[in-house]
Structures are given as structure tokens and as C-alpha cells.
Amino acid sequence: MATKKTSALNYSKPPTNLDDHLFFGFKLDPEQLAFANSIWNKDKKVVFVDAPAGVGKSFVAIATGVLLVQYHVYEKLIYVVSPVFEKRQGYLKGTQREKSEIYFDNMYSTLIKLGINPMFAVANETLEQDKNGDAFIYCMTHTYLRGMNFENAVVIFDESQNFTTDELKKCLTRCADSCTVVISGHQGQCDLEKPEQSGFIKYLDHFKDDERTAICTLTQNHRGWIASHADKLKI
């Protein structure tokens, strides 16, 4: 990510766009800013981003979602990932929460970069959080979504190339019109045993002609030449 700036943040009134926003002290590149503004745009309810590793797609999506909650545009941020091999998740030790925890690293590391303590921001059903009402982020895998409804939330489906078409349908049909939905992925890094089963590009094509949908691309690698060069190998 680009240079970090410092100044106080004011969440009293949401700006029209994020062009001049401090953005937690990080300066976004032009493509990242366009992505953030698409999520911020109240007329865009679904935002897709298909971008390679190291371009900051998860960082920008999560940070913008946090801002939308901090400005009281939405009540909560919901972060959903795929365990890739769904049947194997049930064999992991621990509670449902503990089985899923390993998949939330993108969220936790981003919150730390933003200066937000995940222990307080991410709901974990502790009595202390219930008492203080601090948590506003809900992390989950798609495995346990059946029957749930998402309302008045920013909903991020991360690494969406690892969702099958049926899994992504299950996820997207949970979302009410009171949500902004971000579908983030990279068609070149699918971890499914049969990549043709991925629903990411299929749903991008399905939504792309709707005026309430934004399609974004990110190309500038901020991780370094190793990640950038490795990503260019076609598998």
C-alpha cells in the first residue's frame, strides 16, 4: 500500500466520495480509489473486483466497509470466505467458530493495519462484547450460511474464485437490497479441484450489465516483484 498519512478522522457526516478522504492514513493508487469509490457509491449495490495477488483488493474492500459502518451508513460488516474443501471443515477440532478461524487472516491483518483491534471489532459472542456493544464485524465461512439473511450491511465475499457456482448463489441470495455487496477474487488463482466449477466469473458476467453493478480492476502490485512475477505464470 502507498504512503501513510496522519490526521484526525471525523465520522460525523459521510463524504460524497473518498477522493480527499484520509482513508486511515493510507494513500490509494488511482485504481484502488476507483474501487473504494464504487463501494462507497450508494447507487452501486454490487461491486466486483477481479485482480491478481498483491494489489490490495481485500485491504481496500475491508477498509471501505469499515468506514461505511463508522459513518453509520450501515450497521455492520459481514466477511465471508470459502473453506475451499467444505466437507473437511467439519472434521476440524473445536467449535464452529474455531473451525472457521483459520480462514479470516485477511480480515484480522487488515484491521491491524487500520489500527483497529480485532479482539474488540470482530464479534465472537463473548459476554464482554455483548455488554459493551463494541463488535461490528462478523466473519464466517459460507458453510454455515443456509437460512441466514443479511440486511443493512456491507457484505464482502473474499477470494470468491474459490466459491462454486452453487456456493456463490447460496451466498448472494442471502443479501437484501439494504446491503452493499463486494465480490472480490482473481480468476487466475482458483484453488478448487475443478476450477471450471468456480462461480466467480459466471456471476460477474451475470451481473455486469445491471446499472446497479460496478466492475473494477486493480493492476498495480504493492507486495513486490516476487509476488508480481510469480502471478504471471499461467497454470
Side-chain angles (χ1 to χ4, degrees), residues 43-130:
D43 295 324
K44 302 298 182 183
K45 304 305 295 180
V46 177
V47 180
F48 283 87
V49 59
D50 181 14
V55 296
K57 55 185 180 292
S58 295
F59 175 88
V60 174
I62 292 169
T64 307
V66 168
L67 282 176
L68 283 166
V69 176
Q70 290 179 329
Y71 277 109
H72 308 293
V73 178
Y74 290 104
E75 290 181 353
K76 54 188 174 288
L77 171 60
I78 298 171
Y79 180 80
V80 185
V81 293
S82 171
V84 184
F85 304 109
E86 180 176 348
K87 293 180 181 179
R88 298 182 188 178
Q89 188 178 9
Y91 293 101
L92 296 175
K93 294 181 179 180
T95 65
Q96 175 179 320
R97 173 76 186 184
E98 291 167 339
K99 293 174 190 289
S100 303
E101 200 83 37
I102 60 174
Y103 301 107
F104 305 148
D105 183 64
N106 265 354
M107 171 60 74
Y108 296 153
S109 61
T110 296
L111 291 175
I112 291 169
K113 287 181 183 178
L114 301 179
I116 297 172
N117 188 339
M119 293 292 292
F120 298 103
V122 179
N124 60 18
E125 300 177 354
T126 65
L127 292 175
E128 189 65 22
Q129 281 189 326
D130 288 343

Side-chain angles (χ1 to χ4, degrees), residues 190-209:
C190 182
D191 296 323
L192 295 173
E193 292 180 343
K194 296 180 179 180
E196 65 273 13
Q197 294 180 342
S198 174
F200 177 54
I201 295 301
K202 294 173 186 175
Y203 263 110
L204 187 155
D205 289 338
H206 183 67
F207 275 91
K208 67 181 181 181
D209 294 326

